[in-house]
Amino acid sequence: MSVARGTVVTYPTGAVTSTGTVVQVADAGDGRIAVVLDRTAFHPVDTAWPDQPADRGVLRVDEVDHPVLDAVVGATQDGSLLLGTDVPVRTGTEGWTFVVAHLIDAAAGVRAGDTAAVVVDPQHRAALSAGHTACHLASLALDAALGDAWRKEVAADALGAPAFDALAIQESRISPDGSRDVYRIGKSLRRKGFDPAALGDLDELADRVNRQLTTWLAAGGAVRIERDGDTLADRRTWVCELAVGEARIPCGGTHLTSLAQLARVTVAFSATTAEGGLELVMTTTAVRA
Ligand SMILES: [Zn+2]
């Protein structure tokens, strides 16, 4: 057994439990060890785009539960395991092997070859999945609401609207039943043809986005994750069925399986003056059905 293929991940299908074999244990500093399994249901935080935080849960070895203190992406190129922010490349980069590193107390004494069950906190996972699905939907609704704000042709989003979210996003953080997205509206966005004045009154912008979200939720479309393979490094895509068409967004996170699981999604905006322009923050709140 080796990590040659990288960790097989089962969370994209919604799994919250799994059983695997420990293939590597490495010192992670601060009295913690990084435990790599051949397969896991545990969602780790990504290094290059840390939008969805790690799951909560335990590794169960010989009927003893070891709390997972954090879960990060690990990568190897020539045998040595790099962890989290030490990984110098994006997840999926050719020539590297990517693994899920479960960080637990070094005193746990877990060893390579052990069988380990992964048990994820299902409530926390469900809340993150709701937050992540709502985040994608809100980004599409925002793109649609700002469709007239562009004076030039730019790249289109998953539904054909000018891709404000993709072009302006600086940071996206998923939280239980919500998300917070930070957009930079500066010189480079204006050069691409975006008119900041088109943001108008932020409460009115939120009303437009929220009306769109209500319409989409009412149709209760199916949501699924498509993937090229079953390892951490394989490309995955969020697919959501909407009346206007199928929205597809590259995504490594976890999601609900239907918009019918959401009773309501609403956004609110705030803006601050930043160097050379504006920083717009969209806070999304999901209420599960
Ligand atoms: Zn995503």
Side-chain angles (χ1 to χ4, degrees), residues 19-20 25 31 46 62 69 71 80 82 95 114 146 150 163 166 170 185 197-198 210 227-228 252 282:
T19 303
V25 178
D46 190 53
D62 290 335
L69 307 171
S80 63
L82 301 175
D114 286 348
L146 293 175
W150 298 83
Q170 298 298 304
I185 299 163
N210 290 338
R227 51 181 179 169
D228 294 350
M282 178 170 75

Side-chain angles (χ1 to χ4, degrees), residues 51 132 136 251 255:
D51 57 348
H132 205 148
H136 282 210
C251 181
H255 286 276

Side-chain angles (χ1 to χ4, degrees), residues 222-237:
V223 177
R224 67 180 188 276
I225 299 293
E226 288 185 1
R227 51 181 179 169
D228 294 350
D230 61 4
T231 72
L232 177 61
D234 285 306
R235 192 166 42 163
R236 293 184 286 283
T237 306

Side-chain angles (χ1 to χ4, degrees), residues 178-202:
S179 62
R180 181 177 184 276
D181 292 280
V182 180
Y183 300 98
R184 168 58 64 90
I185 299 163
K187 205 182 289 176
S188 111
L189 205 67
R190 287 200 302 273
R191 224 182 288 120
K192 290 188 176 92
F194 184 80
D195 175 13
L199 288 174
D201 177 73
L202 293 182

Side-chain angles (χ1 to χ4, degrees), residues 139-155:
S139 74
L140 291 169
L142 176 59
D143 285 351
L146 293 175
D148 294 332
W150 298 83
R151 289 185 301 254
K152 295 180 189 169
E153 193 88 9
V154 288

Side-chain angles (χ1 to χ4, degrees), residues 49 51-52 132 135-136 174 238 249-255:
W49 188 248
D51 57 348
Q52 183 172 332
H132 205 148
C135 178
H136 282 210
I174 310 300
W238 176 82
I249 296 177
C251 181
T254 70
H255 286 276

Side-chain angles (χ1 to χ4, degrees), residues 7-288:
T7 311
V8 169
V9 292
T10 57
Y11 56 80
T13 61
V16 287
T17 59
S18 62
T19 303
T21 302
V22 177
V23 291
Q24 190 175 2
V25 178
D27 180 25
D30 299 330
R32 302 174 304 173
I33 49 174
V35 178
V36 176
L37 305 172
D38 58 347
R39 61 165 53 227
T40 187
F42 213 97
H43 176 270
V45 65
D46 190 53
T47 303
W49 188 248
D51 57 348
Q52 183 172 332
D55 279 329
R56 293 179 186 156
V58 300
L59 290 190
R60 187 170 292 160
V61 181
D62 290 335
E63 292 173 18
V64 178
D65 284 357
H66 305 289
V68 178
L69 307 171
D70 198 2
V72 299
V73 172
T76 57
Q77 192 179 35
D78 49 20
S80 63
L81 179 64
L82 301 175
L83 296 173
T85 50
D86 288 342
V87 176
V89 291
R90 293 187 78 86
T91 305
T93 300
E94 203 73 37
W96 291 73
T97 300
F98 295 90
V99 299
V100 177
H102 312 75
L103 305 191
I104 65 172
D105 193 319
V110 172
R111 285 188 300 269
D114 286 348
T115 297
V118 170
V119 184
V120 172
D121 175 343
Q123 272 86 34
H124 184 246
R125 163 70 71 73
L128 290 174
S129 295
H132 205 148
T133 296
C135 178
H136 282 210
L137 214 56
S139 74
L140 291 169
L142 176 59
D143 285 351
L146 293 175
D148 294 332
W150 298 83
R151 289 185 301 254
K152 295 180 189 169
E153 193 88 9
V154 288
D157 74 4
L159 294 176
F164 173 82
D165 176 82
L167 293 169
I169 192 97
Q170 298 298 304
E171 183 185 294
S172 183
R173 290 287 183 276
I174 310 300
S175 53
D177 296 302
S179 62
R180 181 177 184 276
D181 292 280
V182 180
Y183 300 98
R184 168 58 64 90
I185 299 163
K187 205 182 289 176
S188 111
L189 205 67
R190 287 200 302 273
R191 224 182 288 120
K192 290 188 176 92
F194 184 80
D195 175 13
L199 288 174
D201 177 73
L202 293 182
D203 289 338
E204 202 271 328
L205 178 63
D207 285 346
R208 290 206 314 271
V209 171
N210 290 338
R211 278 197 297 275
Q212 179 65 80
L213 288 167
T214 301
T215 305
W216 283 341
L217 289 190
V223 177
R224 67 180 188 276
I225 299 293
E226 288 185 1
R227 51 181 179 169
D228 294 350
D230 61 4
T231 72
L232 177 61
D234 285 306
R235 192 166 42 163
R236 293 184 286 283
T237 306
W238 176 82
V239 185
C240 180
E241 284 165 21
L242 298 169
V244 283
E246 204 177 65
R248 307 175 67 85
I249 296 177
C251 181
T254 70
H255 286 276
L256 302 175
T257 56
S258 168
L259 297 186
Q261 291 168 273
L262 292 169
R264 196 161 66 248
V265 175
T266 51
V267 302
F269 293 101
S270 65
T272 49
T273 323
E275 206 180 325
L278 265 185
E279 195 174 85
L280 179 72
V281 176
M282 178 170 75
T283 306
T284 303
T285 306
V287 177
R288 280 176 276 160

